Amino acid sequence: MTEQFDVVVIGAGMAGASLAAELAPHARVLIAEAEAFPGYHTTGRSAAFWEECYGGPDVVPLTLASGPYLREHGFLSPRGALYVAREGEEAEVEAFFARFAGTGVEITALGRAALRQRLPGLRPEWGLAIAEPACADIDVAGLHQHYLAAARRGGVQLRTKARLTAAEREGAGWRLAFADGSELRTMILANAAGAWADAVASLAGAHAPGIQPLRRTVAQLRTDPAPADDLPLVLDLAGSFYFKPESGRLWLSPHDETPSPACDAAPEEIDVALAIDRFEQVVDWKVVAVERKWAGLRSFAPDRRPVYGHDPAQEGFFWFAGQGGFGIQTAPAAARLGAQLLLGRGRDNMTVGLDAGLYSPARFSR
């Protein structure tokens, strides 16, 4: 007899694990993961931080709503952030403040002396900065395991090496087939497949809005001097690099966004070299060695807002995708909102201020 579920969630990364955990008290749920273990792709390769401005003003409400949950459960460690800019880029600094005015983020201008105290070795042309004191490191692995454990306690089943190969409407629900030959029935198919979100939609006959995977590269460097443990996250206001300390080493990214097919992403040497070149234009530190390098895929809808909600045309198909690089820092509020939308339940204190219309898949209706 074919097993029957209320919801089958495709993908066991942060998106799928958090959504399943929120659904667990209210529905019979299964997570189907194509890889051998959860979090193999983007979640397992993230250099995540909780950074209030990351993702832009439309993402800020999700980030701020998630902050208390992340702090309460011990997943955040204070870091602070600095957006840096060159002399002569005052207009860009003013535009940044204007962009986030009224959003609730805490940002302040930092003077030249204070900037150099916080970032030793800064080259003289970099004289402008915006400080974001609330920025924090995220324990990504801990948060992911937290949601997987909560899902498991709630009775959610997890199946790995379960790549979806077919999804057909059958009566009021779905018949799903997987690469291992197994089949399941479910009332709702929830698409939390990250870089594969459009492919899952196509299998189910839903309109794929064009969620594009973009490759992001990170390298771990040994530098002289070694970065101080309390060095803030440093981001280029123009979006061409960021770096942060990690256990006596430096994690550096060229902030690349290279379109890619959905795949097991690998770093390109040119992107690592570009990151180092940009880093050396900011500080006078010596790069002693590149110790590790990796890449992950960050998936964005065309308007760069996440996609949460029931598909407007395909009954029983639910979107929980397009979360770019902000899906980890927004996981608590996004998953809570997603579960409420999927189940038709009311809002709670975490989600009451969120405008679900901003994230609805209906905005892509043909």
Side-chain angles (χ1 to χ4, degrees), residues 15-225:
S18 59
L19 179 63
E22 290 289 345
L23 292 170
H26 313 289
R28 188 174 184 220
V29 181
L30 177 135
I31 308 173
E33 168 56 49
E35 302 297 344
F37 58 87
Y40 176 79
H41 291 288
T42 301
T43 297
R45 307 176 192 195
S46 174
F49 30 81
W50 187 84
E51 198 267 283
E52 291 172 303
C53 298
Y54 201 57
D58 288 338
V59 175
V60 167
L62 291 165
T63 300
L64 295 182
S66 297
Y69 185 97
L70 294 170
R71 293 189 189 93
E72 177 186 344
H73 289 83
F75 295 119
L76 297 185
S77 301
R79 168 66 56 198
L82 290 177
Y83 282 91
V84 296
R86 293 179 174 87
E87 296 286 354
E89 295 181 340
E90 287 83 1
E92 287 79 359
V93 171
E94 292 178 7
F96 189 92
F97 276 104
R99 186 183 182 208
F100 289 96
T103 62
V105 303
E106 183 183 354
I107 51 177
T108 59
L110 200 67
R112 177 188 292 269
L115 171 60
R116 275 158 172 70
Q117 184 177 14
R118 298 196 65 186
L119 184 54
L122 189 67
R123 296 191 182 278
E125 62 268 29
W126 296 86
L128 305 175
I130 297 169
E132 186 189 310
C135 179
D137 294 337
I138 301 178
D139 178 1
V140 178
L143 181 62
H144 189 216
Q145 289 303 313
H146 165 81
Y147 278 122
L148 288 171
R152 186 170 57 251
R153 289 193 303 271
V156 173
Q157 293 187 37
L158 169 65
R159 295 187 187 173
T160 56
K161 300 182 181 179
R163 180 172 59 85
L164 183 69
T165 56
E168 298 180 359
R169 290 293 294 173
E170 185 177 80
W174 295 91
R175 178 185 287 272
L176 308 180
F178 298 88
D180 62 2
S182 64
E183 291 189 349
L184 301 171
R185 287 189 178 92
T186 185
M187 296 303 295
I188 296 176
L189 176 59
N191 183 3
W196 285 264
D198 269 18
V200 168
S202 296
L203 279 176
H207 172 58
I211 293 179
Q212 173 64 58
L214 304 175
R215 189 178 69 242
R216 170 61 52 87
T217 306
V218 182
Q220 177 176 295
L221 309 180
R222 183 155 47 91
T223 62
D224 182 15

Side-chain angles (χ1 to χ4, degrees), residues 232-317:
L233 168 69
V234 179
L235 309 100
D236 176 20
L237 189 65
S240 67
F241 64 80
Y242 63 79
F243 56 86
K244 57 172 280 192
E246 183 67 29
S247 302
R249 299 296 190 260
L250 193 84
W251 282 8
L252 169 69
S253 173
H255 211 274
D256 48 331
E257 292 190 342
T258 306
S260 169
C263 65
D264 186 357
E268 299 283 346
E269 292 295 338
I270 186 63
D271 293 324
V272 176
L274 182 62
I276 293 173
D277 178 66
R278 291 174 178 175
F279 174 71
E280 291 177 336
Q281 292 180 40
V282 180
V283 293
D284 60 8
W285 303 5
K286 179 181 178 182
V287 175
V288 178
V290 178
E291 296 185 332
R292 292 174 56 213
K293 52 194 174 185
W294 64 95
L297 298 179
R298 306 158 71 252
S299 302
F300 288 95
D303 59 8
R304 299 182 77 90
R305 298 201 301 267
V307 186
Y308 307 143
H310 291 281
D311 190 273
Q314 183 58 284
E315 185 178 359
F317 190 85

